[in-house]
RNA sequence: GGUCGGAUGGCCGAGCGGCUAGGCAGAGGUCUGCAAAACCUUCUACACCGGUUCGAAUCCGGUUCCGACCUCCA
């Protein structure tokens, strides 16, 4: 089997993956800011990194997967004038800020469970790591890379730039940033306190009405936008670890700042592989809270949205996401979702007939080529669309055998079953639903009903047979007639 | 304005020098009392203009359009 290769944003090329410690991987992924219900945009990253995590595990790695919860709240855009997001929501809802954060955290985790995204090994909260963040800020200050002004602490990008390259990840240079900064009118709070427009806050002085604030060596305040990830990743994964993941929109400034903070505090690189997934777009535009074009996960599941005529299951959403490569944008539409859903069902119906395939002594089909194509694709920067295409190829071969055009022996049949299970279920994280009903009573009843209908059909009493079919359909059960008899499924 | 990505058939999406994925939709067919489902077969592409090459969707240059980031965001 070939080696895993990943596109590393740090270096902007495909690189062979090698873990720092043999057979162990430390992985940090930026989690949600819990100030609103989960929407479609929140979904792609977790699914992508879940597949990466599952694939690493499949290859025998022990993975420690850390995904944070940002519950401290950051400054919001122009309309909200420096008010803490969580505080703002709290006022609206008349709740404790932590109650709001907890509620959205629960909603987020519920959505992740629905999507079959495995829970992180550790899910640290920013609010629970204020001490670690303060300590890290202090270290950065002690080393001369940060300064205090009026109870706020800023990172000194100029001082950092003497020995380091601020912009190594995002490909920006500080001059361009300054040129760009003056371009539009952005009157961020505290801009004038900074030595350079490039400097970013490590600690922010809190105004009295700020609910979420903590005591620090610089007075009451709250941590800056980027320090939590640096502090918490170091605590749980070490000062240098293997993979740091996140959305492309976090590349700058968030990840760039994390690198600067960690390099100055710890004297070595933060993560060795930076993996960024692209956005889900809607009508070609990214979906974001700030653009107000988001579809909530619950709206998608329930079909309760102007762009949807009905609901779509979490599995469909997961399949939809995995049908595109993680580094490209993925354009959302109901039409595309329907396409994924139908394809997924077709694939799964093929999976469902594997165990019923008639075996011969010999096999006229092989699957070695498909198997190697699948693992080559996974190793090639996690090319899940090709993996899925190969699974369809496998489905095709299953059907050909089922139609009696080719033969299969029990060895190959079991191999197909195992491959499907490993790839589709274990690695892609698509749970294979069993066709067998867990309800024996229902089986008995349906068996009776279909028998009645079959005898009605035999007597050419089509009025009765169609009535049964229509009534069952209304109840959510679809009957399918074939030569072998009538089968049924619950929609 | 700066930095970085894109433009593939009706839609979603792979591919990254020759073998021209895959899914959905469309068309035809098998099956069927009729349906549905399932299965089989099949038609539509590489934004535009040059160049390199025996050969380009794929490499190079230019043009047009689109997006992301530079301000919280997955």
């Amino acid at each position: 089997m070939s080696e895993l290769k990943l596109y590393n944003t740090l270096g902007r090329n495909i690189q062979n993956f090698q873990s720092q410690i043999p057979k162990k991987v430390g992985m940090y992924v930026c989690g949600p800011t819990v100030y609103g219900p989960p929407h479609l945009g929140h979904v792609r990253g977790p699914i992508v990194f879940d597949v990466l995590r599952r694939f690493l595990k499949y290859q025998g790695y022990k993975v420690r997967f850390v995904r944070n919860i940002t519950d401290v709240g950051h400054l919001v855009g122009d309309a909200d004038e420096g008010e803490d997001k969580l505080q703002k929501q709290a006022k609206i809802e008349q709740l404790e800020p932590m109650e709001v954060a907890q509620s959205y955290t629960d909603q987020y985790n519920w959505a992740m469970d629905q999507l079959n995204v495995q829970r992180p090994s550790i899910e640290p909260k920013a609010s629970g790591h204020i001490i670690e963040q303060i300590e890290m800020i202090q270290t950065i200050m002690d080393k001369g890379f940060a300064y205090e002004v009026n109870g706020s602490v800023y990172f000194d990008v100029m001082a950092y730039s003497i020995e380091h390259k601020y912009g190594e990840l995002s490909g920006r240079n500080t001059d361009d940033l300054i040129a760009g900064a003056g371009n539009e009118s952005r009157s961020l709070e505290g801009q004038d306190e900074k030595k350079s427009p490039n400097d970013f806050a490590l600690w922010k002085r809190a105004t009295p009405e700020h609910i979420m604030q903590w005591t620090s060596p610089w007075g009451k305040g709250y941590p800056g936008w980027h320090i939590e990830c640096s502090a918490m990743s170091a605590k749980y994964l070490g000062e240098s670890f293997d993979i740091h993941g996140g959305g492309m929109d976090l590349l700058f400034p968030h990840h760039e700042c994390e690198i600067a903070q960690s390099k100055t505090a710890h004297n070595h690189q933060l993560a060795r592989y930076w993996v960024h997934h692209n956005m889900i777009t809607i009508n070609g535009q990214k979906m974001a809270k700030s653009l107000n074009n988001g579809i909530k996960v619950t709206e998608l599941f329930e079909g309760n949205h102007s762009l949807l005529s009905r609901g779509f299951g979490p599995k469909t959403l997961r399949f939809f996401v995995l049908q595109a490569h993680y580094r490209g944008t993925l354009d959302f539409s109901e039409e595309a979702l329907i396409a994924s859903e139908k394809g997924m069902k077709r694939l799964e119906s093929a999976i469902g007939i594997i165990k019923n395939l008639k075996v011969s002594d010999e096999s006229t089909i092989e699957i070695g080529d498909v198997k190697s194509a699948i693992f080559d694709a996974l190793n090639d920067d996690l090319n899940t669309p090709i993996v899925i295409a190969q699974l369809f190829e496998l489905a095709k071969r299953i059907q050909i055998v089922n139609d009696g055009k080719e033969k299969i022996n029990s060895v190959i049949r079991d191999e197909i079953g195992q491959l499907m299970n490993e790839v589709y279920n274990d690695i892609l994280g698509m749970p294979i639903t069993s066709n067998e009903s867990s309800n024996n009573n229902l089986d008995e009843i349906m068996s009776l009903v279909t028998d009645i209908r079959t005898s009605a059909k035999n007597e050419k009493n089509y009025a009765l047979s169609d009535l049964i079919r229509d009534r069952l359909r209304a109840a959510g059960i679809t009957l399918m007639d074939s030569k072998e008899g009538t089968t049924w499924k619950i929609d």
Side-chain angles (χ1 to χ4, degrees):
Chain A
M1 200 194 294
S2 57
E3 267 185 86
L4 172 62
K5 292 185 286 291
L6 288 174
Y7 182 89
N8 192 347
T9 309
L10 200 61
R12 296 188 187 262
N13 56 12
I14 304 253
Q15 301 175 358
N16 283 324
F17 175 75
Q18 240 176 352
S19 61
Q20 217 166 20
I21 302 164
K23 290 289 144 195
K24 290 200 168 121
V25 173
M27 210 173 153
Y28 186 94
V29 174
C30 291
T33 303
V34 283
Y35 67 100
H39 63 85
L40 208 44
H42 288 283
V43 144
R44 173 120 98 149
I47 291 173
V48 165
F49 294 116
D50 188 52
V51 171
L52 179 55
R53 176 193 193 178
R54 286 165 180 268
F55 185 47
L56 287 166
K57 276 191 194 164
Y58 177 83
Q59 292 185 312
Y61 287 101
K62 190 172 191 304
V63 182
R64 182 180 289 167
F65 185 98
V66 180
R67 189 180 61 216
N68 66 300
I69 294 285
T70 299
D71 60 349
V72 164
H74 297 317
L75 292 175
V76 291
D78 9 74
D80 303 308
E81 278 305 317
E83 205 176 3
D84 190 296
K85 270 178 195 165
L86 293 174
Q87 182 193 338
K88 187 187 160 219
Q89 284 291 52
K91 277 181 186 167
I92 293 166
E93 303 185 16
Q94 294 296 308
L95 293 166
E96 275 298 314
M98 273 306 183
E99 197 177 356
V100 176
Q102 186 63 55
S103 163
Y104 289 134
T105 302
D106 290 347
Q107 289 178 41
Y108 180 81
N109 281 134
W110 174 83
M112 293 303 118
D113 289 346
Q114 292 294 305
L115 291 163
N116 204 31
V117 170
Q118 292 175 341
R119 294 270 179 118
S121 323
I122 302 174
E123 188 175 55
K125 293 183 176 186
S127 63
H129 297 76
I130 300 295
I131 290 167
E132 287 84 351
Q133 296 179 68
I134 289 173
E135 280 173 358
M136 191 166 178
I137 294 167
Q138 190 60 253
T139 305
I140 296 170
M141 280 181 94
D142 293 346
K143 293 190 177 184
F145 293 103
Y147 55 92
E148 187 211 330
V149 183
N150 298 329
S152 291
V153 180
Y154 296 99
F155 188 89
D156 191 338
V157 172
M158 285 304 181
Y160 178 75
S161 297
I162 294 167
E163 281 183 47
H164 304 280
K165 190 178 181 309
Y166 183 74
E168 62 175 323
L169 184 69
S170 58
R172 288 158 210 269
N173 68 64
T174 47
D175 293 341
D176 292 337
L177 288 166
I178 292 167
N183 197 35
E184 279 176 34
S185 59
R186 54 179 75 99
S187 51
L188 284 176
E189 190 190 346
Q191 278 297 14
D192 48 346
E193 293 180 346
K194 302 195 291 189
K195 286 191 200 168
S196 158
N198 285 327
D199 295 350
F200 55 90
L202 296 172
W203 186 264
K204 296 283 282 179
R205 166 189 72 251
T207 48
E209 64 270 24
H210 230 98
I211 301 170
M212 287 191 136
Q213 48 178 280
W214 291 266
T215 304
S216 78
W218 319 285
K220 292 226 169 195
Y222 56 99
W225 309 342
H226 317 295
I227 195 74
E228 62 171 280
C229 288
S230 288
M232 296 192 297
S233 63
K235 175 161 183 172
Y236 298 113
L237 294 171
E239 294 176 356
S240 185
F241 55 92
D242 296 302
I243 299 171
H244 191 128
M248 280 185 183
D249 53 348
L250 296 178
L251 222 160
F252 189 90
H254 186 56
H255 292 329
E256 198 70 64
C257 295
E258 275 187 58
I259 288 177
Q261 291 163 350
S262 295
K263 266 197 178 167
T264 47
H266 306 314
N267 295 325
H268 39 244
Q269 68 177 339
L270 178 58
R272 293 159 56 244
Y273 300 89
W274 285 83
V275 180
H276 289 97
H277 70 265
N278 218 135
M279 307 291 112
I280 289 179
T281 58
I282 186 157
N283 298 323
Q285 264 206 320
K286 81 159 179 170
M287 195 174 287
K289 173 106 181 158
S290 56
L291 295 174
N292 229 321
N293 62 351
I295 299 176
K296 287 177 203 153
V297 171
T298 46
E299 290 172 339
L300 186 94
F301 292 165
E302 291 159 14
N304 180 25
H305 191 277
S306 58
L307 289 171
L308 301 169
S309 62
R310 63 177 172 86
F312 292 87
K315 260 178 87 174
T316 300
L317 184 54
R318 184 165 178 125
F319 194 79
F320 172 69
V321 166
L322 293 178
Q323 267 191 309
H325 185 82
Y326 75 89
R327 278 196 292 116
T329 53
L330 171 58
D331 204 42
F332 175 86
S333 65
E334 179 165 52
E335 195 183 0
L337 217 60
I338 290 170
S340 286
E341 186 179 57
K342 287 195 177 172
M344 179 183 81
K345 283 187 175 167
R346 206 164 71 75
L347 188 58
E348 291 190 359
S349 80
I351 292 171
I353 64 176
I354 293 172
K355 62 180 184 304
N356 301 325
L357 249 27
K358 285 195 192 97
V359 293
S360 313
D361 292 341
E362 284 179 296
S363 188
T364 54
I365 63 158
E366 273 290 336
I367 61 155
D369 56 333
V370 173
K371 187 171 182 175
S372 56
I374 286 173
F375 287 100
D376 284 350
L378 282 167
N379 280 316
D380 184 14
D381 197 26
L382 219 63
N383 199 328
T384 55
I386 287 185
V387 174
I388 290 174
Q390 289 299 322
L391 293 181
F392 276 108
E393 173 59 34
L394 218 48
K396 193 176 186 177
R397 293 185 194 181
I398 292 165
Q399 295 297 168
I400 288 169
V401 172
N402 196 39
D403 286 356
K405 290 172 189 156
E406 298 277 357
K407 287 180 178 162
I408 197 168
N409 62 24
S410 61
V411 175
I412 302 290
R413 186 191 63 181
D414 294 348
E415 222 175 289
I416 292 179
Q418 196 194 339
L419 186 62
M420 275 293 192
N421 197 51
E422 284 179 359
V423 175
Y424 192 68
N425 189 77
D426 298 347
I427 298 173
L428 296 184
M430 296 291 297
I432 296 172
T433 44
S434 169
N435 275 353
E436 288 152 32
S437 171
S438 54
N439 187 332
N440 288 328
N441 286 338
L442 184 60
D443 280 348
E444 284 296 316
I445 293 164
M446 284 308 297
S447 170
L448 172 68
V449 171
T450 52
D451 283 353
I452 292 169
R453 179 163 168 277
T454 302
S455 58
K457 277 172 65 180
N458 291 341
E459 289 162 16
K460 298 204 191 302
N461 185 354
Y462 297 125
L464 178 59
S465 68
D466 288 353
L467 175 73
I468 292 170
R469 186 171 65 197
D470 293 345
R471 289 288 292 272
L472 284 173
R473 178 135 197 82
I477 295 170
T478 304
L479 294 184
M480 293 164 292
D481 295 335
S482 70
K483 269 184 196 162
E484 286 77 28
T486 301
T487 54
W488 56 276
K489 66 170 183 187
I490 297 170
D491 296 329

